Structure formats: structure tokens, C-alpha cells
């Protein structure tokens, strides 16, 4: 089995060099963190719809297979991927990076992000993206939330104490400048003022106006 270890190391170090906090457990109560998770739900649902697969709602845990869009597109890639647990062990043993795991679910999405980067030029992945240009990278938004906050399994899937539902949000951009704008203009997660879609659209318009 080919597991593309050189590419995995390259992508992990790229994440670390861009911002080492991505691979750590952080607690900053960012509103953008919750919105990035909800935006991921929207992206995952879009992929499942295009691929004519059922979106299975969140339960009490994050299931790796249900979130693995690569396997949805090209099941044969499973023969070229380490298991999630082997991936975490490999990253720790070879790179001395301990990805948050067990009840912390950041690692699942780090695993999926890294393998997406490894296989993003696979013919089936590229052809699907070309055929459906509205589709987005499934994981390049949610990976950014780990710089500030984490996903935790409690009595459901939570981000900084808020249990996540299966309702999504569409973020017009996951660029850092817009995420920072959201956090400057919204209260912390502990204030329970998570914007719904109309407020997100309002923030996006205000952000664009501020750039003029």
C-alpha cells in the first residue's frame, strides 16, 4: 500500500509553518470558529448532493468515513491512505507533533485536509471540481478554526461549549481578513450571539464597503 508519506510530511509542515497553532488545542472563544464549522456543514452537504450520497446528520461523534469526501469521489483511494489512527501515530513519531485527538476532534479534519491536499490533482477529484465549479475545497475553511478553538465531543459535537446542529451557514469568504472582521464586530462565543445567515451577509457587505 502506498501511503504518500513524503507528501504527508510536506503538508503537515506547511500547516505548521503557516501557523503552528493549527496543530494545537486552543481556546479563544471566536465567533468565526463556530461559523467556520457551520460553513463546513454547508460544504459537506453540497458535496454529498452532487455525488448523490446521503448526508448523515451529526451524532455524538465525528465519523471519519462520513466526512471523507475523497473516498466519496474515488473509493479506491482508500488503498493509498493510512487509517486515521495510523496517521496520528505517524505524525507524532516522525514529526514529533501530537495532534489533538480522543475527545478532541481537530485531528479528524487535519487528517482529511492533509489527504485532500495530497490527492487534489487526482483525475477524479479534478474532473468533479471542473464539472461542478461551485464546489469548494471541503476542508480549507474548517482547518482555520483550529488556530483559535477546537472541536470537542461531549453530549454532542461542540465548539467552545456550543453544541453544533446540522444547520449550515454559507461564508462568502474564509480569508483571514474577513474572519478577523467578523470577530471584531461580534461578541465572543460565550455571549451566545452567533450570527445567522442574514447577519453573515450583512457583515460581508460591511466588510466589502470597508475595503473600498
Amino acid at each position: 500500500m502506498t501511503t504518500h508519506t513524503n507528501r504527508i510530511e510536506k503538508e503537515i509542515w506547511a500547516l505548521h509553518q503557516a501557523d503552528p497553532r493549527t496543530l494545537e488545542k486552543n481556546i479563544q472563544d471566536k465567533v468565526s470558529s463556530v461559523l467556520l464549522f457551520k460553513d463546513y456543514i454547508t460544504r459537506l452537504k453540497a458535496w454529498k448532493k452532487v455525488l448523490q450520497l446521503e448526508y448523515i446528520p451529526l451524532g455524538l461523534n465525528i465519523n471519519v468515513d462520513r466526512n471523507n469526501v475523497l473516498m466519496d469521489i474515488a473509493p479506491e483511494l482508500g488503498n493509498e491512505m493510512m487509517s486515521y489512527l495510523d496517521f496520528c501515530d505517524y505524525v507524532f513519531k516522525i514529526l514529533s507533533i501530537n495532534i489533538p485527538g480522543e475527545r478532541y476532534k481537530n485531528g479528524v479534519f487535519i487528517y482529511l485536509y492533509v489527504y485532500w491536499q495530497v490527492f487534489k490533482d487526482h483525475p477524479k477529484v479534478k474532473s468533479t471540481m471542473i464539472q461542478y465549479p461551485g464546489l469548494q475545497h471541503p476542508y480549507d475553511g474548517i482547518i482555520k478554526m483550529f488556530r483559535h478553538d477546537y472541536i470537542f465531543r461531549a453530549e454532542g459535537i461542540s465548539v467552545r461549549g456550543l453544541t453544533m446542529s446540522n444547520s449550515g451557514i454559507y461564508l462568502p469568504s474564509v480569508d483571514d481578513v474577513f474572519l478577523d472582521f467578523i470577530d471584531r464586530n461580534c461578541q465572543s462565543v460565550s455571549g451566545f450571539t452567533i450570527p445567522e445567515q442574514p447577519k453573515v451577509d450583512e457583515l460581508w457587505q460591511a466588510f466589502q464597503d470597508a475595503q473600498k
Side-chain angles (χ1 to χ4, degrees):
M1 179 177 72
T2 302
T3 52
H4 304 273
T5 52
N6 289 339
R7 287 293 310 278
I8 289 170
E9 290 182 28
K10 177 182 175 182
E11 295 300 337
I12 286 288
W13 278 121
L15 285 174
H16 187 270
Q17 290 170 357
D19 194 327
R21 295 175 300 171
T22 303
L23 303 174
E24 300 169 355
K25 181 170 72 71
N26 301 290
I27 307 172
Q28 293 188 23
D29 272 354
K30 297 289 188 179
V31 169
S32 62
S33 297
V34 176
L35 294 181
L36 285 167
F37 186 91
K38 293 170 77 68
D39 179 72
Y40 167 70
I41 295 295
T42 297
R43 294 185 187 207
L44 182 60
K45 287 179 177 179
W47 275 99
K48 296 290 187 182
K49 182 177 180 180
V50 159
L51 297 171
Q52 299 182 4
L53 297 171
E54 179 186 5
Y55 168 76
I56 300 176
L58 294 174
L60 298 178
N61 207 347
I62 297 288
N63 182 285
V64 177
D65 292 340
R66 292 176 186 172
N67 290 274
N68 193 338
V69 177
L70 279 173
M71 292 282 287
D72 291 340
I73 299 170
E76 65 273 15
L77 289 178
N79 296 323
E80 301 184 47
M81 298 174 69
M82 297 182 196
S83 71
Y84 168 57
L85 293 178
D86 286 345
F87 170 86
C88 292
D89 287 343
Y90 176 81
V91 171
F92 178 71
K93 291 175 182 177
I94 304 300
L95 305 177
S96 299
I97 295 174
N98 192 8
I99 295 173
E102 297 183 354
R103 298 185 75 177
Y104 300 96
K105 297 303 174 183
N106 301 25
V108 171
F109 294 102
I110 293 169
Y111 167 78
L112 295 172
Y113 172 87
V114 166
Y115 268 115
W116 183 272
Q117 295 298 103
V118 170
F119 290 117
K120 64 184 179 182
D121 292 325
H122 185 277
K124 286 188 178 179
V125 175
K126 291 185 72 172
S127 65
T128 304
M129 295 288 284
I130 291 170
Q131 185 177 0
Y132 301 99
L135 290 174
Q136 298 171 288
H137 188 312
Y139 314 110
D140 71 347
I142 196 169
I143 199 76
K144 291 189 171 188
M145 73 165 283
F146 303 141
R147 298 174 301 180
H148 303 297
D149 290 296
Y150 58 81
I151 300 170
F152 186 72
R153 177 177 62 82
E155 295 180 356
I157 303 304
S158 69
V159 176
R160 286 306 297 125
L162 295 180
T163 299
M164 296 292 98
S165 70
N166 289 282
S167 61
I169 285 285
Y170 169 69
L171 285 175
S173 170
V174 295
D175 286 346
D176 292 342
V177 286
F178 180 51
L179 299 176
D180 291 342
F181 182 85
I182 290 172
D183 290 323
R184 289 198 307 270
N185 288 275
C186 296
Q187 297 178 20
S188 68
V189 170
S190 59
F192 295 98
T193 55
I194 305 304
E196 298 296 337
Q197 191 67 56
K199 179 62 176 177
V200 171
D201 295 341
E202 180 183 318
L203 287 165
W204 176 240
Q205 185 61 56
F207 171 76
Q208 290 181 301
D209 292 343
Q211 304 306 302
K212 296 177 180 178

